Amino acid sequence: MSYIDMHCDTISCLMEREGESLFHNHLCVNLKGMKEAQTIIQFFACFVHAASYDDRLTKEQRGKAKFFHCIHEEAWDQAYKAVLAMADRIDKEQGIIVAKTYKDVQENLCKKNILAWKTVEEGGVLNLKLDRLNELYNRGIRLVTLTWNFPNCIGYPNSTDSSIMQKGLTKFGIETVEKMNELGMMIDVSHLSDGGFYDCIRYSKKPVCASHSNARVLCQHPRNLSDEMLKQLGEKGGVAGLNFCTYFLKEDEKVTVDNIAEHAAYMIEKGGEDLVAIGSDFDGFDNPYRPNWVNRVEDMPLLWEAFRRRGISERQIDKIMLKNVLRFMKDTIF
């Protein structure tokens, strides 16, 4: 059964692994596994942790939000160059075809090629330079996750601090949303504060997505979406990709594919069957082997069976796997 995955961090990991590629690596996502799982489109995130490019910060400081306001401008610029290098890396990988338009997607669906969809995870690399969106677009980037785990020039991240969670987009952030609409780029609210989420709903003329986020009621993590957020995302025509990271599925780590199916069923209930998609987050979290689990991409068929056990219909499974993202692509890009 063919499917689309809206988020993985495999390319970012490969940049640090000499001699490995999509053709051969020891990560969760590789070419052989994608073929076995019948991946049709894989969204590849060009992820950067901007603080790691600032030599003035200690290792401990790089992980604390309060120091992110102190990141030197040059560090953001270096992070931007790293994103461009990752985008170029995707072009050079063998066995995949980079898609840039909805027409590209349509033409390849019947050919069963594996398509790569380029994304950026950390919109702060724009560094108050809106023209960078033009360059990213020209490099084939078609989705930007507006924030990662720390504040940036666009807005604020998810947080256990309610005062941060209430903060919305900056003036530049609103301009970014408008420019992305104009270019035909997907706006991704995963990692964004609740205030930022609602600003995207308010200011975007097109549907937005949460590429890798689950249901907050089932797992009380601020990275997940509240019932109201699921409702509004669905009403706007957006999609939310089920995240396989254990921290966003259950309070303890004793998870199975049935926990993913539980989130899928709940998100359908609250946001409608046109909302839910796959956003695995493969290679973006520690994924030690466990039974009845998607340890690697080739294990994806276990998830389809879990959906059926949960009572999710074949029509709904087809939408989760493929049709919801295809419709979202048609509505947001050119």
Side-chain angles (χ1 to χ4, degrees):
M1 299 179 71
S2 301
Y3 76 99
I4 299 171
D5 179 4
M6 294 191 75
H7 189 86
C8 80
D9 287 290
T10 309
I11 289 297
S12 304
C13 292
L14 287 175
M15 297 297 285
E16 301 176 359
R17 289 171 172 251
E18 188 173 351
E20 294 192 10
S21 66
L22 282 179
F23 185 78
H24 174 74
N25 64 57
H26 297 88
L27 299 168
C28 293
V29 176
N30 58 45
L31 191 61
K32 181 175 180 292
M34 287 191 288
K35 288 180 178 179
E36 288 183 20
Q38 299 184 51
T39 307
I40 291 293
I41 308 174
Q42 178 63 62
F43 286 42
F44 287 104
C46 301
F47 162 71
V48 287
H49 179 16
S52 66
Y53 295 90
D54 195 330
D55 294 334
R56 301 171 310 152
L57 299 178
T58 66
K59 185 177 180 180
E60 182 181 12
Q61 289 173 335
R62 290 170 185 172
K64 294 184 177 180
K66 66 180 181 179
F67 290 102
F68 250 62
H69 293 291
C70 305
I71 293 180
H72 198 277
E73 184 174 347
E74 292 179 2
W76 283 111
D77 290 344
Q78 289 178 33
Y80 178 67
K81 291 178 181 178
V83 162
L84 297 180
M86 284 180 244
D88 290 344
R89 169 69 182 264
I90 295 171
D91 289 331
K92 296 172 184 176
E93 289 289 340
Q94 298 181 355
I96 57 173
I97 298 172
V98 175
K100 299 178 182 178
T101 66
Y102 184 67
K103 183 179 179 181
D104 291 342
V105 172
Q106 286 181 304
E107 290 177 348
N108 278 280
L109 282 176
C110 60
K111 299 177 182 178
K112 302 297 183 181
N113 294 313
I114 298 175
L115 298 181
W117 199 254
K118 295 183 184 180
T119 81
V120 169
E121 187 175 23
E122 176 50 279
V125 298
L126 298 180
N127 198 19
L128 295 175
K129 300 175 178 68
L130 205 59
D131 284 347
R132 285 186 175 177
L133 279 173
N134 293 316
E135 183 173 12
L136 291 174
Y137 185 87
N138 291 335
R139 296 290 188 104
I141 300 295
R142 291 296 181 270
L143 176 150
V144 177
T145 308
L146 300 184
T147 60
W148 185 52
N149 288 343
F150 303 99
N152 63 23
C153 57
I154 292 174
Y156 296 83
N158 68 92
S159 175
T160 55
D161 185 334
S162 61
S163 65
I164 293 177
M165 276 293 253
Q166 292 170 10
K167 292 184 177 181
L169 299 177
T170 64
K171 181 177 181 295
F172 178 78
I174 296 170
E175 293 171 353
T176 297
V177 166
E178 294 170 345
K179 182 67 173 180
M180 290 176 69
N181 281 170
E182 176 188 325
L183 289 171
M185 298 177 78
M186 298 174 176
I187 295 164
D188 182 14
V189 299
S190 283
H191 287 282
L192 196 59
S193 66
D194 288 4
F197 170 93
Y198 290 115
D199 276 349
C200 287
I201 293 292
R202 182 180 303 112
Y203 291 108
S204 178
K205 296 178 181 179
K206 296 182 179 181
V208 301
C209 71
S211 67
H212 53 305
S213 297
N214 297 330
R216 194 177 294 175
V217 164
L218 297 184
C219 183
Q220 293 293 320
H221 194 292
R223 269 280 285 105
N224 288 335
L225 302 169
S226 70
D227 286 0
E228 183 61 25
M229 294 164 83
L230 291 169
K231 178 177 179 289
Q232 292 202 26
L233 194 62
E235 288 177 347
K236 192 176 178 71
V239 290
L242 294 161
N243 191 323
F244 300 173
C245 179
T246 59
Y247 300 124
F248 310 140
L249 288 166
K250 194 176 178 182
E251 269 69 24
D252 62 64
E253 294 188 4
K254 295 178 181 179
V255 298
T256 70
V257 288
D258 294 300
N259 295 112
I260 302 175
E262 180 185 14
H263 279 263
Y266 186 87
M267 291 161 71
I268 288 172
E269 177 186 342
K270 298 300 178 181
E273 63 180 37
D274 295 331
L275 170 71
V276 186
I278 301 296
S280 69
D281 206 5
F282 273 140
D283 296 316
F285 62 96
D286 291 334
N287 195 22
Y289 177 84
R290 67 191 78 206
N292 194 26
W293 181 245
V294 277
N295 299 288
R296 297 170 66 87
V297 65
E298 53 264 40
D299 297 325
M300 290 296 287
L302 294 174
L303 183 54
W304 318 146
E305 293 304 317
F307 287 159
R308 295 186 181 98
R309 287 195 300 272
R310 190 72 191 184
I312 299 173
S313 71
E314 290 299 319
R315 181 191 70 254
Q316 291 169 333
I317 292 173
D318 193 31
K319 287 187 174 186
I320 293 171
M321 293 167 58
L322 204 66
K323 290 185 177 179
N324 286 345
V325 178
L326 290 177
R327 185 261 312 154
F328 179 71
M329 284 181 158
K330 185 178 180 180
D331 291 345
T332 54
I333 63 170
F334 304 125

